[in-house]
Amino acid sequence: MLTPQQVEQYERDGLLVLPSFFSLEEIGALMADVPRIVAMDRPEIAKSAAGETCAALALHRYSAVFDRFMHHPLLIETARQLLGGDIYCHQYKIVCKDPMGSLDFPWHQDFGNWHDLDGMPEPKALNISIYLDEVTEFNGPVAFIPGSHRHGRIPSLAETPAGLVNTTTLARLNRGVIEELVNEHGIVAPKGPRGSVAIFHGLTAHASTPNISPWTRHILYFTANRMTNAIRKPTRPDYVAHRDFVQLEPETEAA
Ligand SMILES: O=C(O)CCC(=O)C(=O)O
């Protein structure tokens, strides 16, 4: 259970960072399956134009260890506590940044895509991002504007991120909006050892820069959505926007 102070911080900032939330053993077990996953040739594995693996989506479909982890009590109970009810998983992916790679993400709110492309009615969804590698200032950490979720949905531009193939558009926030938000709230880029998590609201503006280090940067994203807020009009493949709407229950053997 999160403490009342942690819940208050999430509500205020749209972001809550919990260092070493999962153990190194748990992360080690997940990472052991990553080389097999990124080498696979299937539609869920997104590549850059240069051939780098950028993301592995719908991990539960082809990885037993990631499937088990999706039922981890800490994931499910934390998401339920912050969203105030039962949840299913809308998206479950690793974003992989290769050493000295080119992958980056422009400023955006995830709810932009969830609403416009998937038909999610309300921003009653969040991401629990889990650091599978240590995240430093050098390997392309995710930067957030704390408190930006309180501005609601901000108009955005639908753009295809440069260098990514087999992907859809991203709802990019324009420069003027980012200037105003950052002047008001600042920017943070939480670093942390493997097993740390950054939980963020679907409306929290975030972006990330390329990995300039000689180390990999893998972050696992578990996107939880309220059962009552299930998507209505998906336009993206089901491995990007899940349609099974299975209510998740914690399984102690996943811990
Ligand atoms: O992992 C990253 O660098 C950012 C990913 C991201 O912003 C997203 O998937 O919406």
Side-chain angles (χ1 to χ4, degrees), residues 128-188:
I128 302 185
S129 68
I130 301 123
Y131 296 3
L132 300 181
D133 285 312
E134 180 179 3
V135 173
T136 70
E137 58 269 61
F138 309 114
N139 64 356
V142 181
F144 299 92
I145 304 179
S148 49
H149 66 305
R150 285 188 267 115
H151 294 255
R153 170 78 200 279
I154 300 167
S156 55
L157 312 160
E159 283 188 358
T160 305
L164 275 182
V165 292
N166 67 345
T167 191
T168 51
T169 56
L170 200 67
R172 182 172 73 76
L173 298 171
N174 76 32
R175 181 183 171 150
V177 164
I178 295 305
E179 274 173 10
E180 280 174 27
L181 290 174
V182 171
N183 285 339
E184 185 174 347
H185 301 288
I187 306 181
V188 296

Side-chain angles (χ1 to χ4, degrees), residues 57-136:
L57 292 134
L59 292 153
H60 55 301
R61 289 188 178 176
Y62 46 79
S63 168
V65 67
F66 278 94
D67 182 31
R68 214 165 31 249
F69 189 75
M70 193 176 174
H71 301 269
H72 198 298
L74 281 179
L75 275 185
I76 296 176
E77 283 159 9
T78 302
R80 275 184 184 167
Q81 191 182 356
L82 292 175
L83 290 172
D86 289 325
I87 55 145
Y88 74 96
C89 179
H90 174 63
Q91 203 173 68
Y92 189 44
K93 68 183 183 212
I94 304 173
V95 176
C96 318
K97 286 191 177 173
D98 280 352
M100 324 285 283
S102 54
L103 182 65
D104 61 359
F105 288 81
W107 287 106
H108 63 283
Q109 296 173 302
D110 284 346
F111 183 69
N113 273 1
W114 297 342
H115 180 267
D116 297 355
L117 303 180
D118 305 334
M120 186 183 287
E122 290 183 78
K124 291 184 175 166
L126 55 73
N127 290 301
I128 302 185
S129 68
I130 301 123
Y131 296 3
L132 300 181
D133 285 312
E134 180 179 3
V135 173
T136 70

Side-chain angles (χ1 to χ4, degrees), residues 210-232:
N211 178 1
I212 59 163
S213 81
W215 312 297
T216 55
R217 198 232 63 181
H218 294 87
I219 296 182
L220 172 64
Y221 291 85
F222 170 78
T223 304
N225 188 21
R226 283 285 303 268
M227 290 299 293
T228 51
N229 195 42
I231 59 172
R232 309 283 201 263

